[in-house]
Amino acid sequence: MGANIPAKELADSVVVRFAGDSGDGVQITGSQFTTTAALAGNDFATLPDYPAEIRAPTGTTPGVSGFQIHLSSSNIFTPGDDPDVLVALNAAALKVNLPTMKKGCTLIVNTDGFDRSNLVKSGYASTPLEDGHLEDYRTYKIPITTLTLKGLKDSALNKRARSRCKNFFALGVVYWLYSHPIDSTENWIRTKFSSQPEILEANLTALRGGYAYADAGELFQTRYEIPAAPQAPGLYRNIDGNKALSLGLYAAAERAGIPLFLGSYPITPASDILAELAKLKPYGVMTFQAEDEIAAVCSAIGASFGGCIGVTTTSGPGIALKSEAIGLAVMTELPLVIVNVQRGGPSTGLPTKTEQSDLLQAFYGRNGECPAVIVAARSSSDCFTTAIEAVRLAVEHMTPVILLSDGYMANGSEPWKVPSSSELPAIRARFRDEPTYFQPFARDPETLVREWARPGTPGLEHRIGGLEHTDGAGNVSYDPAMHEQMTHIRAEKVARIARAIPLAEVFGENAGDVLVVGWGGTYGAIHAAVREAQKNGWKVSQLHLRYLNPFPANLGDLLHRFRKVIVAELNLGQLDVLLRNRFLLKTVRLNKVQGQPFKVSEVIASIKEFLPGRAQ
């Protein structure tokens, strides 16, 4: 009998999700699959999904870790709505993810993860592999753990260590199924475990074993191949939002010719920025891991006073603790970049899940009238560009800037074309060198920006602080009229920054039936939905805001050109409140607060509801 030769089909795209216990190496598996897809030239977007509990009991649903990747031969903008393929390493992983699976999609299940103990822990009364739960899916039952242990029977590792290699066996199976080579992952294993030869060999054997098992068996009747996506020539890398933001801060400091200082306290999901910038110490970056959030931001303010670009990074709970010090930066008018990688709240909330619920905190979360510039990144790779812009605005306008990212962008990754230094914008600091007629708060009459005086510069000795002061000289003042004057000046200075930022641009026609407005990491889902709507001939456009305070100067005019404005955000309507208040606009809200990004289908459904003649 001849060997089974499966048919090979070209596919435009596929969404694959790996899922298992937090100790099963799911994130490593997904990351390696992503790297291989990148090397194959596919466009891709990823969604790592970490369990919120640090050490949930093994085999339980709270401990399930997931990694979703959407890879395609054309341009894509999201990690996909629902998976086409689910690799479930145990019963809990299936229980958590099965509700998101479309009928007819592919399930690859590790049958060894469905013993009596796993079924009880995951809440199954009977095994879903046999009781009809999976009859609507193409299910491939593989004893992945058993096969991994069998292939490693001669390994010196103990049984537990050998069983932990099962993620690479599963990865080998998926590599074969989608016609991807395993050599890049082999090279990664050799590098990663170079000092642990037994683990190195075990993981290589498991990876090759999974590939060989799929190749030699008759389990799969079809293999798939996803051609490379069209790309402009250039150097590309796979990058997540935290890495991109870190590189953007460093690049901005280089363009400005000013040292970069980061004062930070570790907090999920922002901690990686501290780790990434610490790696750049040989290149002049200074990082300080403070004892708490207040010390972190105050150290950054001190660095800004000393002539550095002061940066502090945190998430929403940390912003709450930093609020008084941010007010100090507003009063002293020092350039400070405050990065908020948002997560689900309130309080500790959902530390590993995403949300956009800190916008009003960024606007108003300080005592007194305390305006700050606010910008928001729109994708993982855009965190690089937005970080540069945050530094530019802070330095050129002598003001604190809050940069909003979120957990979805921070942990998700996508291809990024590495720019040359000549493509990056210039950043011009206003350092004062001449002591004649120096006053700490002397202002440019057009921008109201004060000059920056480095301590130690002869003749420029000065004091600034958090007490109200007179304009110009900066002497402490308790005069009621002066306090009101200074309050207006600080607000007007931020308002005039609208002259220094680009006008808002609409994707699609500048007038029509529906405009979908968003900000931050919702860009991809909104953009994909609006493109789909436009293909259907609907008069739908998109407006995505990077600049949230001040708003672009033409924003109000654009909003009033559309019959219906949908404001889509991962909160209960915070941008919507600001738009209604500012522009007296009747809008429609599309909100989601589930710790997960929008699906494209959710945005399309909202668009359909408000098209002429399609109202439900």
Side-chain angles (χ1 to χ4, degrees):
M1 182 180 293
N4 174 56
I5 301 177
K8 198 167 189 178
E9 293 183 5
L10 292 179
D12 177 65
S13 66
V14 67
V15 179
V16 179
R17 182 183 295 170
F18 298 92
D21 265 323
S22 57
D24 283 340
V26 168
Q27 303 302 322
I28 290 175
T29 305
S31 296
Q32 287 305 304
F33 193 68
T34 302
T35 299
T36 301
L39 291 172
N42 298 136
D43 195 14
F44 62 88
T46 72
L47 176 61
D49 193 8
Y50 302 96
E53 294 191 27
I54 296 175
R55 293 193 180 276
T58 302
T60 62
T61 54
V64 171
S65 178
F67 190 105
Q68 183 166 306
I69 174 174
H70 184 189
L71 56 152
S72 178
S73 59
S74 56
N75 292 333
I76 56 174
F77 306 96
T78 76
D81 279 11
D82 300 309
D84 301 303
V85 179
L86 171 66
V87 181
L89 295 179
N90 63 11
L94 182 67
K95 183 71 174 289
V96 168
N97 290 284
L98 193 60
T100 69
M101 304 301 293
K102 298 170 290 190
K103 304 299 183 183
C105 70
T106 298
L107 305 179
I108 300 173
V109 295
N110 174 22
T111 56
D112 295 316
F114 288 77
D115 59 20
R116 184 61 187 166
S117 175
N118 276 289
L119 293 174
V120 170
K121 290 179 181 178
S122 59
Y124 279 118
S126 60
T127 175
L129 303 184
E130 308 295 342
D131 63 7
H133 265 75
L134 308 182
E135 62 184 13
D136 292 327
Y137 308 94
R138 291 183 294 173
T139 304
Y140 300 95
K141 306 171 187 177
I142 306 175
I144 293 174
T145 306
T146 297
L147 292 170
T148 302
L149 292 172
K150 184 178 179 180
L152 299 177
K153 64 182 184 299
D154 297 327
S155 172
L157 298 175
N158 60 39
K159 183 178 180 180
R160 182 181 180 186
R162 283 181 281 141
S163 69
R164 293 181 67 180
C165 299
K166 63 181 176 290
N167 62 319
F168 283 108
F169 188 99
L171 181 58
V173 171
V174 179
Y175 275 157
W176 180 89
L177 184 60
Y178 285 95
S179 307
H180 280 317
I182 63 174
D183 52 343
S184 67
T185 299
E186 287 183 328
N187 292 334
W188 180 86
I189 291 172
R190 291 189 184 96
T191 302
K192 177 70 174 179
F193 301 106
S194 59
S195 61
Q196 300 168 290
E198 295 86 359
I199 297 177
L200 185 155
E201 287 301 323
N203 284 326
L204 284 177
T205 300
L207 177 69
R208 295 165 181 167
Y211 194 94
Y213 173 82
D215 189 46
E218 299 184 357
L219 195 62
F220 300 103
Q221 302 303 311
T222 305
R223 292 182 77 183
Y224 302 92
E225 182 177 348
I226 300 174
Q231 291 180 331
L235 174 65
Y236 288 82
R237 63 167 290 182
N238 170 22
I239 199 163
D240 62 45
N242 278 347
K243 288 187 177 68
L245 200 152
S246 302
L247 291 175
L249 292 171
Y250 172 69
E254 287 293 301
R255 293 295 285 168
I258 304 171
L260 177 66
F261 175 92
L262 172 68
S264 186
Y265 180 76
I267 182 173
T268 301
S271 301
D272 288 343
I273 302 172
L274 173 59
E276 289 297 322
L277 286 176
K279 296 176 185 177
L280 299 178
K281 180 179 178 180
Y283 302 96
V285 175
M286 296 171 282
T287 57
F288 169 56
Q289 181 172 323
E291 65 270 28
D292 56 40
E293 295 282 5
I294 299 172
V297 65
C298 287
S299 68
I301 293 171
S304 292
F305 180 69
C308 297
I309 295 172
V311 180
T312 189
T313 54
T314 189
S315 192
I319 292 291
L321 295 168
K322 296 178 189 288
S323 61
E324 183 182 2
I326 296 173
L328 172 62
V330 170
M331 287 288 278
T332 55
E333 300 184 49
L334 284 168
L336 176 70
V337 176
I338 306 111
V339 177
N340 179 356
V341 186
Q342 299 165 96
R343 69 190 200 188
S347 185
T348 307
L350 303 172
T352 63
K353 310 299 181 181
T354 196
E355 208 163 277
Q356 289 184 301
S357 54
D358 296 345
L359 178 58
L360 292 182
Q361 181 189 43
F363 263 86
Y364 302 119
R366 295 167 295 282
N367 63 296
E369 294 290 338
C370 192
V373 178
I374 305 170
V375 295
R378 63 173 56 178
S379 68
S380 296
S381 61
D382 186 60
C383 286
F384 175 84
T385 303
T386 307
I388 294 176
E389 182 66 349
V391 172
R392 183 185 75 84
L393 294 175
V395 168
E396 294 187 354
H397 295 272
M398 292 294 287
T399 185
V401 175
I402 298 175
L403 193 170
L404 296 175
S405 177
D406 60 47
Y408 164 58
M409 290 185 285
N411 297 317
S413 63
E414 61 185 0
W416 174 55
K417 185 180 179 183
V418 181
S420 65
S421 59
S422 61
E423 297 176 273
L424 304 181
I427 298 176
R428 299 176 179 85
R430 300 169 61 92
F431 282 113
R432 174 70 179 245
D433 296 315
E434 171 55 49
T436 306
Y437 305 119
F438 170 68
Q439 288 187 323
F441 288 92
R443 301 181 183 281
D444 181 289
E446 293 298 320
T447 63
L448 302 182
V449 175
R450 78 174 187 88
E451 294 177 307
W452 198 357
R454 290 188 179 98
T457 305
L460 300 184
E461 297 84 359
H462 66 287
R463 290 180 297 177
I464 53 177
L467 291 174
E468 188 58 280
H469 50 263
T470 60
D471 198 20
N475 298 324
V476 173
S477 172
Y478 297 107
D479 177 66
M482 179 56 65
H483 174 56
E484 183 163 358
Q485 177 182 328
M486 291 301 301
T487 300
H488 282 293
I489 286 174
R490 288 187 288 265
E492 179 63 20
K493 188 177 83 163
V494 171
R496 291 188 186 186
I497 293 175
R499 305 172 184 175
I501 62 176
L503 296 177
E505 293 184 1
V506 169
F507 172 73
E509 298 296 326
N510 283 336
D513 291 326
V514 176
L515 176 68
V516 186
V517 180
W519 64 279
T522 59
Y523 172 81
I526 295 173
H527 190 67
V530 170
R531 285 167 62 98
E532 184 67 26
Q534 292 173 352
K535 287 180 183 178
N536 292 333
W538 304 341
K539 296 180 179 179
V540 179
S541 300
Q542 176 190 14
L543 196 162
H544 211 78
L545 293 172
R546 166 173 286 154
Y547 303 93
L548 297 166
N549 193 37
F551 286 130
N554 65 331
L555 179 57
D557 176 58
L558 288 175
L559 293 174
H560 285 287
R561 293 183 180 186
F562 290 83
R563 188 182 61 84
K564 191 66 66 175
V565 175
I566 300 172
V567 184
E569 46 188 334
L570 300 179
N571 56 48
L572 296 182
Q574 296 187 18
L575 175 62
D576 185 68
V577 167
L578 296 169
L579 295 179
R580 285 173 177 239
N581 179 62
R582 175 72 179 274
F583 301 110
L584 303 179
L585 184 73
K586 186 177 180 181
T587 57
V588 174
R589 292 180 177 180
L590 174 59
N591 303 119
K592 181 176 181 178
V593 193
Q594 301 176 11
Q596 298 292 326
F598 278 123
K599 294 181 178 181
V600 176
S601 58
E602 293 169 336
V603 183
I604 290 177
S606 182
I607 291 172
K608 283 184 178 179
E609 187 175 352
F610 297 102
L611 289 172
R614 296 175 182 268
Q616 301 298 313

